[in-house]
Amino acid sequence: MGGLPELQQHRFKITHKSHIQVSKFPKGCAVGYKPHIENPNNNGRLLSVVYYTNKNYSKIEDEGLVRFYLKNNTRFIEVEPSFNTAVIHWSDQRVIKEVLSSNTRDMYHITSWFFGSCTLK
């Protein structure tokens, strides 16, 4: 990440990580998880790491995509929560995350957060 132009002026210090959180998103639920920011109140979370455990996932049958909104909600990336896929993203206002509902089966995500600080060099 340090090679990205917008990060070259910053210094990051990871101090610790959280325990893992296992989330179950039940099938047929009208809303999987509404759009949210992982660190809305400067709680120390720098990075979020999400690991997907859904074997034989099918985008067409299962749905349940995970949507990451970028650039003030003007565009987004959709990730299929398929088995053995991991996503690392900023925990602050740069990324808004939403889990869309699944119609055919329960979906599972494992999440952990890295805490620390970010300062200008």
Side-chain angles (χ1 to χ4, degrees), residues 1-90:
M1 289 189 326
L4 296 173
E6 70 264 18
L7 300 181
Q8 291 178 353
Q9 298 175 5
H10 294 84
R11 178 168 292 146
F12 299 92
K13 181 177 181 183
I14 302 292
T15 57
H16 64 285
K17 72 174 193 65
S18 69
H19 294 289
I20 63 168
Q21 172 183 305
V22 178
S23 300
K24 174 183 176 182
F25 298 92
K27 67 181 175 185
C29 181
V31 176
Y33 203 109
K34 293 181 181 182
H36 66 284
I37 296 170
E38 305 266 308
N39 179 1
N41 301 315
N42 198 22
N43 62 18
R45 292 178 182 171
L46 288 179
L47 295 173
S48 301
V49 180
V50 187
Y51 178 74
Y52 303 106
T53 61
N54 306 298
K55 289 188 177 181
N56 303 315
Y57 171 80
S58 167
K59 179 179 177 179
I60 295 169
E61 292 177 20
D62 298 325
E63 300 178 6
L65 294 170
V66 182
R67 189 174 283 169
F68 296 91
Y69 294 92
L70 309 170
K71 301 284 183 184
N72 298 323
N73 294 329
T74 58
R75 63 184 184 137
F76 59 84
I77 297 167
E78 288 183 334
V79 173
E80 296 180 18
S82 354
F83 177 72
N84 212 22
T85 299
V87 175
I88 300 171
H89 63 87
W90 296 112

